[in-house]
Amino acid sequence: MHFLEREILLNQPVENIWKFMATPANLNELTPPELNFQIVSELPEKMYNGLIIEYRISIPLFGNWRWLTEIKHIREGVYFVDEQRIGPYRLWYHEHHIEAVGQKQTRMTDRVSYKLPFGLMGQMVHQFWVKNMLETIFAYRAQRLTELFG
């Protein structure tokens, strides 16, 4: 099992950050263009517990993938999880924590627990490629959030 945790401070009230994160279509804004990320399913304006979202994603060297996630454990304005149902990982459990820091600043923390398929081979691919790919994706995410919210 592997873990990734990233934290960012944004100069916006928690309500603004939550509204953005609770809108499933905004995930496009936070995904690097080179992944050719496409949302396939119809989306509601706001996420809800049990929402299933289907994406298509292109992973360099590994081709195109169908990715199906479920939104769950929503605590309005504070926390939610997206959990992979079908996709490139054996396990993907992404916690999104949103916390007010004063009246006009928000701390957003991403915690991802994930596991690759293919046993030892998957471990090697993680060490030499997937770990860096995820670092790049989450760095892009932080950059975009900073651009959008300061």
Side-chain angles (χ1 to χ4, degrees):
M1 179 87 73
H2 303 284
F3 303 96
L4 177 127
E5 184 167 329
R6 293 291 169 270
E7 185 177 288
I8 185 170
L9 285 175
L10 300 165
N11 294 318
Q12 289 286 322
V14 72
E15 297 81 19
N16 294 357
I17 303 302
W18 179 261
K19 183 178 179 183
F20 180 84
M21 295 304 295
T23 305
N26 288 337
L27 186 53
N28 276 336
E29 286 287 325
L30 304 179
T31 305
E34 59 270 16
L35 295 178
N36 296 319
F37 184 79
Q38 298 172 351
I39 299 173
V40 175
S41 52
E42 290 188 31
L43 297 176
E45 288 185 29
K46 187 177 177 184
M47 69 180 171
Y48 56 84
N49 275 310
L51 174 64
I52 301 290
I53 305 173
E54 182 179 355
Y55 319 96
R56 296 272 189 259
I57 189 167
S58 179
I59 302 174
L61 304 176
F62 291 93
N64 297 318
W65 287 83
R66 177 180 182 219
W67 196 334
L68 200 68
T69 61
E70 179 181 358
I71 304 297
K72 52 199 289 187
H73 307 302
I74 298 172
R75 286 190 305 172
E76 188 74 25
V78 178
Y79 174 85
F80 71 95
V81 168
D82 70 78
E83 183 174 4
Q84 175 189 285
R85 292 287 170 244
I86 297 171
Y89 295 89
R90 187 167 179 203
L91 169 82
W92 178 269
Y93 191 86
H94 183 176
E95 303 173 43
H96 305 258
H97 298 264
I98 298 172
E99 172 188 12
V101 180
Q103 290 184 345
K104 294 188 177 185
Q105 199 171 47
T106 300
R107 175 181 299 114
M108 194 170 93
T109 306
D110 290 290
R111 289 188 186 118
V112 183
S113 305
Y114 64 99
K115 192 172 190 176
L116 282 100
F118 311 121
L120 185 56
M121 186 176 179
Q123 292 286 61
M124 291 172 52
V125 170
H126 177 264
Q127 191 61 36
F128 293 108
W129 190 71
V130 173
K131 183 178 179 180
N132 290 335
M133 179 189 72
L134 290 176
E135 293 287 344
T136 301
I137 290 169
F138 277 84
Y140 179 88
R141 180 182 174 93
Q143 174 191 337
R144 287 297 295 138
L145 284 165
T146 300
E147 289 168 359
L148 292 167
F149 298 107

